[in-house]
Amino acid sequence: MEFPDLGKHCSEETCKQLDFLPVKCDACKQDFCKDHFTYAAHKCPFAFQKDVQVPVCPLCNTPIPVKKGQIPDVVVSDHIDRDCDSHPGKKKEKIFTYRCSKEGCKKKEMLQMACAQCHGNFCIQHRHPLDHSCRHGSRPTVKAG
């Protein structure tokens, strides 16, 4: 009892513990013990003014602004469905982009296979000059032998 004014009692109604290192809530300005200093633990009525969190999109790591009264999960879901650039189902990059230049062939390849003579792009079946009736310098190439 040498220091009767040292420490403060916890402001939580169910606690009232004497704490020598109390924590003052920055929202409601009351003193709390280590068990009740968080906004949720003492049900702070002013927590909405201080406890502002900005959700981040899990796909593109962009912060998503949330207005008062909106549920963050719903806002992030809307962002993923509409605005997200990294949505896996939204845009698919074409893999087979190189179309065969042979007349009547509609095959596409992942890699460009250009003919060294006519510089046309062909599929695997028509990649050789004899297979696509290559015309190098306006004359057709014939089989040797």
Side-chain angles (χ1 to χ4, degrees):
M1 297 313 260
E2 295 176 16
F3 303 106
D5 296 330
L6 187 64
K8 294 190 179 182
H9 289 278
C10 180
S11 296
E12 176 64 30
E13 292 295 323
T14 58
C15 182
K16 297 294 184 190
Q17 177 183 352
L18 179 62
D19 196 340
F20 295 107
L21 293 172
V23 179
K24 184 174 262 191
C25 177
D26 61 342
C28 65
K29 308 294 187 223
Q30 293 182 351
D31 296 310
F32 295 97
C33 65
K34 65 178 177 76
D35 297 328
H36 298 111
F37 76 93
T38 61
Y39 298 133
H42 70 270
K43 299 179 183 85
C44 185
F46 302 103
F48 69 92
Q49 295 173 344
K50 299 285 184 170
D51 192 19
V52 178
Q53 297 177 1
V54 178
V56 176
C57 176
L59 300 176
C60 65
N61 291 326
T62 304
I64 312 299
V66 179
K67 296 177 184 171
K68 284 188 178 181
Q70 289 182 321
I71 301 169
D73 292 338
V74 174
V75 176
V76 172
S77 178
D78 288 344
H79 162 77
I80 290 172
D81 292 341
R82 294 185 196 145
D83 305 325
C84 189
D85 295 331
S86 300
H87 192 282
K90 195 169 188 179
K91 62 177 180 182
K92 293 184 180 180
E93 294 181 20
K94 294 183 179 179
I95 297 174
F96 298 95
T97 57
Y98 299 102
R99 188 166 181 197
C100 182
S101 299
K102 169 92 172 155
E103 271 188 55
C105 184
K106 295 183 178 182
K107 288 187 180 178
K108 294 181 181 180
E109 296 295 331
M110 288 176 22
L111 300 172
Q112 185 176 10
M113 288 185 242
C115 176
Q117 296 174 1
C118 66
H119 304 291
N121 188 48
F122 299 97
C123 66
I124 291 178
Q125 291 178 343
H126 301 119
R127 70 184 184 267
H128 296 294
L130 295 175
D131 295 332
H132 64 265
S133 32
C134 184
R135 296 184 181 268
H136 177 65
S138 74
R139 60 186 166 112
T141 307
V142 292
K143 290 184 181 180

Short mmCIF file of all heavy atoms in Angstrom, two decimals, residues 80-134:
data_model
loop_
_atom_site.label_atom_id
_atom_site.label_comp_id
_atom_site.label_asym_id
_atom_site.label_seq_id
_atom_site.Cartn_x
_atom_site.Cartn_y
_atom_site.Cartn_z
N ILE A 80 -13.50 -9.33 -58.30
CA ILE A 80 -12.97 -10.49 -59.03
C ILE A 80 -13.83 -10.79 -60.25
O ILE A 80 -13.31 -11.09 -61.33
CB ILE A 80 -12.87 -11.72 -58.09
CG1 ILE A 80 -11.75 -11.49 -57.07
CG2 ILE A 80 -12.62 -12.99 -58.88
CD1 ILE A 80 -11.68 -12.54 -55.99
N ASP A 81 -15.15 -10.66 -60.11
CA ASP A 81 -16.05 -10.95 -61.23
C ASP A 81 -15.99 -9.90 -62.33
O ASP A 81 -16.16 -10.22 -63.51
CB ASP A 81 -17.49 -11.07 -60.72
CG ASP A 81 -17.69 -12.30 -59.85
OD1 ASP A 81 -16.85 -13.22 -59.93
OD2 ASP A 81 -18.68 -12.33 -59.09
N ARG A 82 -15.73 -8.63 -61.99
CA ARG A 82 -15.83 -7.55 -62.97
C ARG A 82 -14.49 -6.93 -63.37
O ARG A 82 -14.19 -6.78 -64.54
CB ARG A 82 -16.71 -6.43 -62.42
CG ARG A 82 -18.14 -6.84 -62.24
CD ARG A 82 -18.97 -5.65 -61.81
NE ARG A 82 -20.24 -6.14 -61.29
CZ ARG A 82 -20.89 -5.57 -60.30
NH1 ARG A 82 -20.43 -4.51 -59.72
NH2 ARG A 82 -22.04 -6.08 -59.88
N ASP A 83 -13.70 -6.51 -62.38
CA ASP A 83 -12.55 -5.64 -62.66
C ASP A 83 -11.19 -6.32 -62.59
O ASP A 83 -10.21 -5.74 -63.04
CB ASP A 83 -12.53 -4.47 -61.65
CG ASP A 83 -13.85 -3.71 -61.65
OD1 ASP A 83 -14.46 -3.58 -62.71
OD2 ASP A 83 -14.25 -3.24 -60.57
N CYS A 84 -11.10 -7.49 -62.01
CA CYS A 84 -9.80 -8.12 -61.77
C CYS A 84 -9.13 -8.53 -63.08
O CYS A 84 -9.74 -9.19 -63.92
CB CYS A 84 -9.96 -9.33 -60.86
SG CYS A 84 -8.39 -9.99 -60.31
N ASP A 85 -7.87 -8.13 -63.22
CA ASP A 85 -7.12 -8.47 -64.42
C ASP A 85 -6.55 -9.87 -64.37
O ASP A 85 -6.21 -10.44 -65.40
CB ASP A 85 -5.96 -7.48 -64.61
CG ASP A 85 -6.47 -6.07 -64.86
OD1 ASP A 85 -7.58 -5.92 -65.42
OD2 ASP A 85 -5.76 -5.11 -64.50
N SER A 86 -6.44 -10.44 -63.18
CA SER A 86 -5.81 -11.75 -63.02
C SER A 86 -6.82 -12.88 -62.89
O SER A 86 -6.46 -13.96 -62.48
CB SER A 86 -4.92 -11.74 -61.78
OG SER A 86 -3.94 -10.77 -61.91
N HIS A 87 -8.08 -12.64 -63.21
CA HIS A 87 -9.10 -13.66 -63.07
C HIS A 87 -8.81 -14.79 -64.05
O HIS A 87 -8.70 -14.57 -65.25
CB HIS A 87 -10.49 -13.06 -63.34
CG HIS A 87 -11.61 -13.97 -62.95
ND1 HIS A 87 -12.00 -15.04 -63.71
CD2 HIS A 87 -12.41 -13.99 -61.87
CE1 HIS A 87 -13.00 -15.65 -63.13
NE2 HIS A 87 -13.26 -15.03 -62.00
N PRO A 88 -8.64 -16.03 -63.55
CA PRO A 88 -8.24 -17.12 -64.43
C PRO A 88 -9.28 -17.49 -65.50
O PRO A 88 -8.92 -17.92 -66.58
CB PRO A 88 -8.01 -18.30 -63.49
CG PRO A 88 -8.72 -17.95 -62.24
CD PRO A 88 -8.79 -16.46 -62.17
N GLY A 89 -10.54 -17.31 -65.23
CA GLY A 89 -11.56 -17.68 -66.20
C GLY A 89 -12.00 -16.55 -67.11
O GLY A 89 -12.77 -16.75 -68.03
N LYS A 90 -11.51 -15.35 -66.84
CA LYS A 90 -11.98 -14.18 -67.58
C LYS A 90 -11.38 -14.09 -68.98
O LYS A 90 -12.08 -14.00 -69.96
CB LYS A 90 -11.68 -12.92 -66.79
CG LYS A 90 -12.44 -11.72 -67.28
CD LYS A 90 -12.31 -10.58 -66.30
CE LYS A 90 -13.22 -9.46 -66.70
NZ LYS A 90 -13.15 -8.36 -65.78
N LYS A 91 -10.07 -14.10 -69.06
CA LYS A 91 -9.45 -14.02 -70.37
C LYS A 91 -8.44 -15.15 -70.51
O LYS A 91 -7.61 -15.37 -69.65
CB LYS A 91 -8.80 -12.67 -70.60
CG LYS A 91 -7.67 -12.34 -69.66
CD LYS A 91 -7.04 -11.02 -70.03
CE LYS A 91 -5.92 -10.69 -69.06
NZ LYS A 91 -5.30 -9.43 -69.33
N LYS A 92 -8.56 -15.84 -71.59
CA LYS A 92 -7.63 -16.94 -71.84
C LYS A 92 -6.74 -16.55 -73.00
O LYS A 92 -7.21 -16.13 -74.05
CB LYS A 92 -8.40 -18.21 -72.19
CG LYS A 92 -9.21 -18.75 -71.04
CD LYS A 92 -9.86 -20.05 -71.41
CE LYS A 92 -10.67 -20.59 -70.25
NZ LYS A 92 -11.32 -21.84 -70.57
N GLU A 93 -5.46 -16.69 -72.77
CA GLU A 93 -4.53 -16.41 -73.85
C GLU A 93 -4.51 -17.60 -74.79
O GLU A 93 -4.48 -18.75 -74.36
CB GLU A 93 -3.14 -16.17 -73.27
CG GLU A 93 -3.05 -14.92 -72.43
CD GLU A 93 -1.65 -14.70 -71.90
OE1 GLU A 93 -0.70 -15.26 -72.47
OE2 GLU A 93 -1.52 -13.97 -70.91
N LYS A 94 -4.53 -17.31 -76.08
CA LYS A 94 -4.53 -18.37 -77.06
C LYS A 94 -3.14 -18.98 -77.13
O LYS A 94 -2.14 -18.28 -77.21
CB LYS A 94 -4.95 -17.83 -78.42
CG LYS A 94 -6.40 -17.37 -78.42
CD LYS A 94 -6.80 -16.90 -79.79
CE LYS A 94 -8.26 -16.46 -79.77
NZ LYS A 94 -8.68 -15.97 -81.08
N ILE A 95 -3.11 -20.30 -77.12
CA ILE A 95 -1.84 -21.01 -77.19
C ILE A 95 -1.48 -21.31 -78.64
O ILE A 95 -0.38 -21.07 -79.08
CB ILE A 95 -1.91 -22.31 -76.37
CG1 ILE A 95 -2.15 -21.99 -74.90
CG2 ILE A 95 -0.64 -23.12 -76.53
CD1 ILE A 95 -2.38 -23.19 -74.03
N PHE A 96 -2.46 -21.81 -79.39
CA PHE A 96 -2.22 -22.16 -80.78
C PHE A 96 -2.55 -20.94 -81.65
O PHE A 96 -3.68 -20.74 -82.05
CB PHE A 96 -3.08 -23.36 -81.18
CG PHE A 96 -2.76 -24.59 -80.39
CD1 PHE A 96 -3.47 -24.92 -79.25
CD2 PHE A 96 -1.71 -25.41 -80.78
CE1 PHE A 96 -3.16 -26.06 -78.52
CE2 PHE A 96 -1.39 -26.55 -80.05
CZ PHE A 96 -2.10 -26.87 -78.92
N THR A 97 -1.55 -20.14 -81.94
CA THR A 97 -1.79 -18.88 -82.65
C THR A 97 -1.25 -18.87 -84.08
O THR A 97 -1.64 -18.02 -84.86
CB THR A 97 -1.16 -17.70 -81.89
OG1 THR A 97 0.23 -17.96 -81.72
CG2 THR A 97 -1.82 -17.50 -80.55
N TYR A 98 -0.37 -19.78 -84.42
CA TYR A 98 0.24 -19.75 -85.75
C TYR A 98 -0.52 -20.67 -86.70
O TYR A 98 -0.43 -21.89 -86.61
CB TYR A 98 1.71 -20.16 -85.65
CG TYR A 98 2.51 -19.23 -84.78
CD1 TYR A 98 2.85 -19.58 -83.48
CD2 TYR A 98 2.90 -17.98 -85.24
CE1 TYR A 98 3.57 -18.72 -82.67
CE2 TYR A 98 3.61 -17.11 -84.45
CZ TYR A 98 3.95 -17.49 -83.16
OH TYR A 98 4.65 -16.63 -82.37
N ARG A 99 -1.25 -20.06 -87.63
CA ARG A 99 -2.09 -20.81 -88.56
C ARG A 99 -1.28 -21.22 -89.79
O ARG A 99 -0.43 -20.48 -90.28
CB ARG A 99 -3.28 -19.96 -88.99
CG ARG A 99 -4.27 -20.76 -89.80
CD ARG A 99 -5.57 -20.06 -89.94
NE ARG A 99 -6.45 -20.92 -90.70
CZ ARG A 99 -7.53 -20.53 -91.28
NH1 ARG A 99 -7.91 -19.29 -91.18
NH2 ARG A 99 -8.27 -21.38 -91.95
N CYS A 100 -1.59 -22.38 -90.31
CA CYS A 100 -0.90 -22.92 -91.48
C CYS A 100 -1.28 -22.11 -92.73
O CYS A 100 -2.45 -21.79 -92.94
CB CYS A 100 -1.27 -24.39 -91.67
SG CYS A 100 -0.43 -25.19 -93.04
N SER A 101 -0.27 -21.81 -93.56
CA SER A 101 -0.49 -21.01 -94.78
C SER A 101 -0.89 -21.87 -95.98
O SER A 101 -1.20 -21.33 -97.05
CB SER A 101 0.78 -20.24 -95.13
OG SER A 101 1.11 -19.36 -94.08
N LYS A 102 -0.91 -23.17 -95.84
CA LYS A 102 -1.29 -24.06 -96.95
C LYS A 102 -2.78 -23.91 -97.21
O LYS A 102 -3.58 -23.87 -96.29
CB LYS A 102 -0.96 -25.51 -96.56
CG LYS A 102 -1.51 -26.55 -97.47
CD LYS A 102 -0.53 -26.90 -98.53
CE LYS A 102 -1.10 -28.12 -99.29
NZ LYS A 102 -0.60 -28.22 -100.61
N GLU A 103 -3.15 -23.82 -98.47
CA GLU A 103 -4.57 -23.67 -98.83
C GLU A 103 -5.36 -24.88 -98.37
O GLU A 103 -4.95 -26.02 -98.60
CB GLU A 103 -4.71 -23.53 -100.36
CG GLU A 103 -4.62 -22.10 -100.83
CD GLU A 103 -4.96 -22.01 -102.31
OE1 GLU A 103 -6.04 -22.46 -102.72
OE2 GLU A 103 -4.11 -21.47 -103.03
N GLY A 104 -6.48 -24.63 -97.73
CA GLY A 104 -7.36 -25.70 -97.27
C GLY A 104 -7.02 -26.25 -95.90
O GLY A 104 -7.81 -26.96 -95.30
N CYS A 105 -5.84 -25.94 -95.37
CA CYS A 105 -5.44 -26.43 -94.04
C CYS A 105 -5.83 -25.39 -93.00
O CYS A 105 -5.53 -24.20 -93.16
CB CYS A 105 -3.94 -26.69 -93.99
SG CYS A 105 -3.41 -27.40 -92.41
N LYS A 106 -6.49 -25.84 -91.94
CA LYS A 106 -6.93 -24.93 -90.89
C LYS A 106 -6.24 -25.20 -89.56
O LYS A 106 -6.66 -24.70 -88.53
CB LYS A 106 -8.45 -25.05 -90.70
CG LYS A 106 -9.22 -24.61 -91.92
CD LYS A 106 -10.70 -24.67 -91.68
CE LYS A 106 -11.45 -24.17 -92.91
NZ LYS A 106 -12.88 -24.17 -92.71
N LYS A 107 -5.17 -25.97 -89.60
CA LYS A 107 -4.47 -26.30 -88.36
C LYS A 107 -3.68 -25.11 -87.84
O LYS A 107 -3.20 -24.27 -88.60
CB LYS A 107 -3.52 -27.48 -88.58
CG LYS A 107 -4.23 -28.78 -88.77
CD LYS A 107 -3.25 -29.92 -88.81
CE LYS A 107 -3.99 -31.22 -89.00
NZ LYS A 107 -3.07 -32.35 -89.09
N LYS A 108 -3.54 -25.07 -86.51
CA LYS A 108 -2.76 -24.02 -85.84
C LYS A 108 -1.71 -24.69 -84.97
O LYS A 108 -1.94 -25.75 -84.41
CB LYS A 108 -3.67 -23.14 -84.98
CG LYS A 108 -4.67 -22.34 -85.78
CD LYS A 108 -5.52 -21.49 -84.88
CE LYS A 108 -6.54 -20.70 -85.69
NZ LYS A 108 -7.39 -19.88 -84.83
N GLU A 109 -0.58 -24.01 -84.84
CA GLU A 109 0.52 -24.55 -84.06
C GLU A 109 0.91 -23.58 -82.95
O GLU A 109 0.65 -22.39 -83.03
CB GLU A 109 1.74 -24.81 -84.95
CG GLU A 109 1.52 -25.86 -86.01
CD GLU A 109 1.28 -27.25 -85.46
OE1 GLU A 109 1.79 -27.56 -84.37
OE2 GLU A 109 0.58 -28.03 -86.12
N MET A 110 1.57 -24.14 -81.91
CA MET A 110 2.04 -23.30 -80.81
C MET A 110 3.30 -22.53 -81.21
O MET A 110 3.51 -21.40 -80.77
CB MET A 110 2.37 -24.18 -79.59
CG MET A 110 1.15 -24.72 -78.93
SD MET A 110 1.42 -25.84 -77.54
CE MET A 110 2.99 -25.51 -76.93
N LEU A 111 4.12 -23.14 -82.02
CA LEU A 111 5.37 -22.52 -82.44
C LEU A 111 5.30 -22.15 -83.91
O LEU A 111 4.67 -22.85 -84.71
CB LEU A 111 6.54 -23.47 -82.23
CG LEU A 111 6.77 -23.93 -80.79
CD1 LEU A 111 7.83 -25.02 -80.75
CD2 LEU A 111 7.17 -22.77 -79.92
N GLN A 112 6.00 -21.10 -84.27
CA GLN A 112 6.02 -20.67 -85.65
C GLN A 112 7.01 -21.54 -86.42
O GLN A 112 8.15 -21.71 -86.01
CB GLN A 112 6.44 -19.20 -85.74
CG GLN A 112 6.38 -18.66 -87.13
CD GLN A 112 6.72 -17.18 -87.16
OE1 GLN A 112 7.17 -16.61 -86.18
NE2 GLN A 112 6.48 -16.56 -88.29
N MET A 113 6.53 -22.12 -87.52
CA MET A 113 7.38 -22.93 -88.37
C MET A 113 7.39 -22.28 -89.75
O MET A 113 6.55 -22.59 -90.60
CB MET A 113 6.87 -24.36 -88.45
CG MET A 113 7.10 -25.12 -87.17
SD MET A 113 6.64 -26.81 -87.30
CE MET A 113 5.37 -26.88 -86.09
N ALA A 114 8.35 -21.42 -89.96
CA ALA A 114 8.43 -20.67 -91.21
C ALA A 114 9.31 -21.43 -92.20
O ALA A 114 10.35 -21.98 -91.84
CB ALA A 114 8.99 -19.28 -90.96
N CYS A 115 8.86 -21.42 -93.43
CA CYS A 115 9.63 -22.04 -94.50
C CYS A 115 10.82 -21.14 -94.82
O CYS A 115 10.67 -19.92 -94.96
CB CYS A 115 8.74 -22.22 -95.73
SG CYS A 115 9.62 -22.89 -97.16
N ALA A 116 12.00 -21.73 -94.96
CA ALA A 116 13.21 -20.95 -95.23
C ALA A 116 13.19 -20.37 -96.64
O ALA A 116 13.86 -19.38 -96.91
CB ALA A 116 14.43 -21.82 -95.02
N GLN A 117 12.41 -20.98 -97.54
CA GLN A 117 12.41 -20.53 -98.93
C GLN A 117 11.33 -19.48 -99.19
O GLN A 117 11.61 -18.40 -99.71
CB GLN A 117 12.24 -21.72 -99.86
CG GLN A 117 13.41 -22.69 -99.75
CD GLN A 117 13.18 -23.94 -100.57
OE1 GLN A 117 12.17 -24.08 -101.24
NE2 GLN A 117 14.13 -24.86 -100.51
N CYS A 118 10.08 -19.79 -98.82
CA CYS A 118 8.99 -18.85 -99.13
C CYS A 118 8.57 -18.01 -97.93
O CYS A 118 7.73 -17.12 -98.04
CB CYS A 118 7.78 -19.60 -99.68
SG CYS A 118 7.00 -20.70 -98.48
N HIS A 119 9.12 -18.31 -96.77
CA HIS A 119 8.85 -17.59 -95.52
C HIS A 119 7.39 -17.66 -95.08
O HIS A 119 6.94 -16.83 -94.31
CB HIS A 119 9.31 -16.13 -95.62
CG HIS A 119 10.75 -15.99 -95.99
ND1 HIS A 119 11.76 -16.35 -95.14
CD2 HIS A 119 11.33 -15.57 -97.14
CE1 HIS A 119 12.92 -16.14 -95.74
NE2 HIS A 119 12.69 -15.67 -96.96
N GLY A 120 6.65 -18.65 -95.54
CA GLY A 120 5.28 -18.86 -95.08
C GLY A 120 5.29 -19.64 -93.78
O GLY A 120 6.25 -20.33 -93.44
N ASN A 121 4.21 -19.57 -93.02
CA ASN A 121 4.08 -20.27 -91.75
C ASN A 121 3.24 -21.52 -91.97
O ASN A 121 2.14 -21.43 -92.52
CB ASN A 121 3.45 -19.36 -90.71
CG ASN A 121 3.48 -19.98 -89.34
OD1 ASN A 121 4.51 -20.48 -88.93
ND2 ASN A 121 2.36 -19.98 -88.66
N PHE A 122 3.72 -22.69 -91.53
CA PHE A 122 3.02 -23.94 -91.81
C PHE A 122 2.92 -24.82 -90.58
O PHE A 122 3.68 -24.66 -89.62
CB PHE A 122 3.76 -24.69 -92.94
CG PHE A 122 3.80 -23.92 -94.22
CD1 PHE A 122 4.91 -23.17 -94.57
CD2 PHE A 122 2.71 -23.92 -95.07
CE1 PHE A 122 4.94 -22.45 -95.74
CE2 PHE A 122 2.73 -23.20 -96.25
CZ PHE A 122 3.85 -22.46 -96.58
N CYS A 123 1.97 -25.77 -90.65
CA CYS A 123 1.80 -26.74 -89.56
C CYS A 123 2.86 -27.83 -89.71
O CYS A 123 3.64 -27.84 -90.66
CB CYS A 123 0.39 -27.34 -89.59
SG CYS A 123 0.04 -28.35 -91.04
N ILE A 124 2.86 -28.78 -88.80
CA ILE A 124 3.88 -29.84 -88.81
C ILE A 124 3.76 -30.68 -90.09
O ILE A 124 4.77 -31.05 -90.68
CB ILE A 124 3.74 -30.72 -87.55
CG1 ILE A 124 4.17 -29.91 -86.34
CG2 ILE A 124 4.60 -31.97 -87.67
CD1 ILE A 124 4.03 -30.62 -85.03
N GLN A 125 2.55 -30.96 -90.55
CA GLN A 125 2.38 -31.78 -91.75
C GLN A 125 2.86 -31.07 -93.02
O GLN A 125 3.30 -31.72 -93.95
CB GLN A 125 0.91 -32.16 -91.92
CG GLN A 125 0.42 -33.12 -90.87
CD GLN A 125 -1.06 -33.43 -91.05
OE1 GLN A 125 -1.77 -32.72 -91.74
NE2 GLN A 125 -1.50 -34.51 -90.42
N HIS A 126 2.77 -29.76 -93.07
CA HIS A 126 3.12 -29.02 -94.28
C HIS A 126 4.40 -28.19 -94.14
O HIS A 126 4.65 -27.28 -94.92
CB HIS A 126 1.95 -28.09 -94.67
CG HIS A 126 0.69 -28.82 -94.93
ND1 HIS A 126 -0.45 -28.59 -94.19
CD2 HIS A 126 0.37 -29.77 -95.83
CE1 HIS A 126 -1.42 -29.37 -94.63
NE2 HIS A 126 -0.94 -30.11 -95.64
N ARG A 127 5.24 -28.50 -93.16
CA ARG A 127 6.42 -27.67 -92.90
C ARG A 127 7.54 -27.82 -93.93
O ARG A 127 8.31 -26.91 -94.14
CB ARG A 127 6.96 -27.95 -91.50
CG ARG A 127 7.60 -29.31 -91.34
CD ARG A 127 8.03 -29.51 -89.88
NE ARG A 127 8.72 -30.76 -89.70
CZ ARG A 127 8.14 -31.90 -89.34
NH1 ARG A 127 6.83 -31.92 -89.14
NH2 ARG A 127 8.84 -33.00 -89.19
N HIS A 128 7.61 -28.97 -94.58
CA HIS A 128 8.65 -29.17 -95.59
C HIS A 128 8.21 -28.53 -96.91
O HIS A 128 7.03 -28.55 -97.25
CB HIS A 128 8.93 -30.66 -95.77
CG HIS A 128 9.48 -31.30 -94.53
ND1 HIS A 128 10.71 -30.97 -94.02
CD2 HIS A 128 8.96 -32.24 -93.69
CE1 HIS A 128 10.93 -31.68 -92.92
NE2 HIS A 128 9.87 -32.45 -92.70
N PRO A 129 9.15 -28.01 -97.68
CA PRO A 129 8.81 -27.34 -98.94
C PRO A 129 8.03 -28.23 -99.91
O PRO A 129 7.14 -27.73 -100.62
CB PRO A 129 10.17 -26.97 -99.52
CG PRO A 129 11.07 -26.85 -98.35
CD PRO A 129 10.57 -27.86 -97.36
N LEU A 130 8.29 -29.51 -99.93
CA LEU A 130 7.57 -30.40 -100.85
C LEU A 130 6.12 -30.62 -100.41
O LEU A 130 5.25 -30.89 -101.24
CB LEU A 130 8.28 -31.75 -100.95
CG LEU A 130 9.68 -31.70 -101.58
CD1 LEU A 130 10.34 -33.06 -101.50
CD2 LEU A 130 9.59 -31.22 -103.01
N ASP A 131 5.86 -30.50 -99.11
CA ASP A 131 4.51 -30.74 -98.59
C ASP A 131 3.56 -29.56 -98.79
O ASP A 131 2.35 -29.74 -98.79
CB ASP A 131 4.58 -31.09 -97.10
CG ASP A 131 5.30 -32.40 -96.85
OD1 ASP A 131 5.26 -33.27 -97.73
OD2 ASP A 131 5.89 -32.54 -95.76
N HIS A 132 4.08 -28.38 -98.99
CA HIS A 132 3.19 -27.23 -99.19
C HIS A 132 3.37 -26.60 -100.57
O HIS A 132 2.99 -25.46 -100.79
CB HIS A 132 3.37 -26.17 -98.08
CG HIS A 132 4.71 -25.51 -98.01
ND1 HIS A 132 5.71 -25.95 -97.18
CD2 HIS A 132 5.22 -24.45 -98.67
CE1 HIS A 132 6.76 -25.17 -97.31
NE2 HIS A 132 6.49 -24.25 -98.23
N SER A 133 3.90 -27.38 -101.49
CA SER A 133 4.19 -26.92 -102.86
C SER A 133 4.81 -25.53 -102.84
O SER A 133 4.23 -24.56 -103.32
CB SER A 133 2.95 -26.97 -103.75
OG SER A 133 1.76 -26.75 -103.09
N CYS A 134 5.98 -25.49 -102.25
CA CYS A 134 6.71 -24.24 -102.06
C CYS A 134 7.10 -23.63 -103.40
O CYS A 134 7.57 -24.31 -104.31
CB CYS A 134 7.96 -24.50 -101.23
SG CYS A 134 8.89 -23.03 -100.83
#
